[in-house]
């Protein structure tokens, strides 16, 4: 996948609200960031971690995908397919 768009990848962001506001698409593992992205009307891709307590990130991704609020990527191939659709 070759992207013409600029991306920022980090483990932790300071000023995440400003970055979300400037973004076309946000990829995150889940949590409160997911709800902030949804509230700003941005494209959201959830790529949950597999090692969380009680699989809470996975459950959030499945639920939000089911109600049409995000895309859910289980693996890198899913992520590439989703990004190709979004960034066309």
């Amino acid at each position: 996948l070759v992207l013409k768009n600029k991306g920022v990848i980090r483990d932790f962001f300071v000023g995440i609200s400003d970055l979300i506001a400037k973004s076309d698409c946000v990829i995150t593992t889940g949590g409160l960031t997911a709800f902030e992205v949804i509230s700003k009307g941005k494209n959201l891709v959830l790529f949950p971690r597999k090692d969380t307590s009680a699989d809470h990130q996975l459950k959030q991704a499945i639920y939000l995908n089911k109600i049409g609020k995000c895309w859910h990527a289980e693996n890198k191939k899913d992520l590439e397919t989703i990004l190709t659709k979004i960034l066309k």
Side-chain angles (χ1 to χ4, degrees):
L1 177 63
V2 177
L3 300 177
K4 296 176 186 173
N5 308 68
K6 182 179 178 184
V8 179
I9 300 170
R10 292 189 193 143
D11 289 333
F12 182 79
F13 287 93
V14 175
I16 189 72
S17 294
D18 293 335
L19 286 170
I20 291 170
K22 295 175 185 175
S23 299
D24 295 315
C25 177
V26 176
I27 304 166
T28 185
T29 58
L32 291 175
T33 302
F35 294 112
E36 186 169 359
V37 173
I38 290 168
S39 74
K40 293 185 185 309
K42 302 296 182 168
N43 289 306
L44 173 62
V45 179
L46 290 178
F47 193 31
R49 290 180 24 209
K50 307 277 191 248
D51 60 352
T52 60
S53 174
D55 291 326
H56 71 281
Q57 289 183 353
L58 178 60
K59 290 174 184 174
Q60 180 188 39
I62 291 169
Y63 174 74
L64 291 175
N65 180 262
K66 183 177 178 181
I67 64 170
K69 297 294 182 182
C70 76
W71 287 274
H72 169 216
E74 290 270 345
N75 52 53
K76 289 181 181 180
K77 184 176 182 194
D78 286 350
L79 186 58
E80 184 174 314
T81 300
I82 292 165
L83 290 175
T84 300
K85 288 178 187 177
I86 293 171
L87 299 174
K88 278 188 174 180

